[in-house]
Amino acid sequence: MKFHADADPVWREALRVGHARIDAEHEEFAGLIQQLCAAPDDLLAPALEGLLVHAQAHFADEDVWMQRLDFPAKDCHQREHQAVLATARGVRRRLQAGEIRPVRQFAAELAAWFPPHVQHLDSALAQWICKHSWDAKPLVLHRRMPVPAMAA
């Protein structure tokens, strides 16, 4: 299965969790997933490497917050991070051996995994960070898009 560049984007405003740094990193991560999904075969290696480098740094940041603030779901959350990184490394090895299909499958699965991970685990982490930092919950304002007029 190949994810096409004109397919639904991985990032959407509804994925904002209300923590500026996490949201910015998520938007970048989603863009890297999108690039990997749409990359031609000859650009899969650099797209995968860019995604892997970003994921390692982003997951490490989240892991530090979870440890420092004793986030209750940290074990589950960290296991998901570890699984994504281990899979990405395995896919990279297969790509280096000349296999393209595993990269395409990984990209499609990652695009499907990302939104629920953000909506469940990362949004809970953002709330936990805000609670411990400011004794508050994050506030996310979404723009309401105008609804087109109905034809009579």
Side-chain angles (χ1 to χ4, degrees):
M1 167 200 258
K2 183 171 185 218
F3 191 91
H4 297 283
D6 58 348
D8 289 337
V10 177
W11 177 255
R12 50 190 178 276
E13 288 297 311
L15 293 178
R16 292 203 180 279
V17 298
H19 186 281
R21 182 169 165 192
I22 292 173
D23 285 336
E25 289 182 10
H26 283 167
E27 192 167 358
E28 183 179 349
F29 189 41
L32 292 167
I33 294 170
Q34 190 84 26
Q35 286 176 13
L36 181 62
C37 289
D41 291 353
D42 61 328
L43 295 179
L44 283 174
L48 180 60
E49 194 61 32
L51 184 138
L52 185 53
V53 167
H54 177 84
Q56 289 169 327
H58 175 64
F59 293 167
D61 288 345
E62 286 187 1
D63 290 350
V64 166
W65 286 323
M66 289 187 282
Q67 287 298 118
R68 192 178 71 223
L69 298 174
D70 197 26
F71 181 56
K74 71 178 172 280
D75 292 337
C76 172
H77 200 147
Q78 289 173 329
R79 278 193 303 273
E80 282 202 15
H81 289 169
Q82 292 163 359
V84 168
L85 293 174
T87 303
R89 290 180 189 117
V91 166
R92 179 175 59 188
R93 282 190 298 277
R94 292 184 70 180
L95 180 60
Q96 289 167 343
E99 296 180 63
I100 301 290
R101 186 178 170 105
V103 183
R104 299 286 180 210
Q105 291 172 324
F106 173 68
E109 291 299 324
L110 196 59
W113 167 85
F114 182 73
H117 176 83
V118 169
Q119 291 167 325
H120 299 290
L121 291 174
D122 289 338
S123 67
L125 175 59
Q127 287 192 19
W128 193 257
I129 291 169
C130 290
K131 176 183 175 188
H132 285 275
S133 299
W134 303 289
D135 195 28
K137 288 185 177 182
L139 177 64
V140 182
L141 301 174
H142 297 281
R143 289 183 289 169
R144 195 173 272 252
M145 300 304 291
V147 177
M150 299 290 287

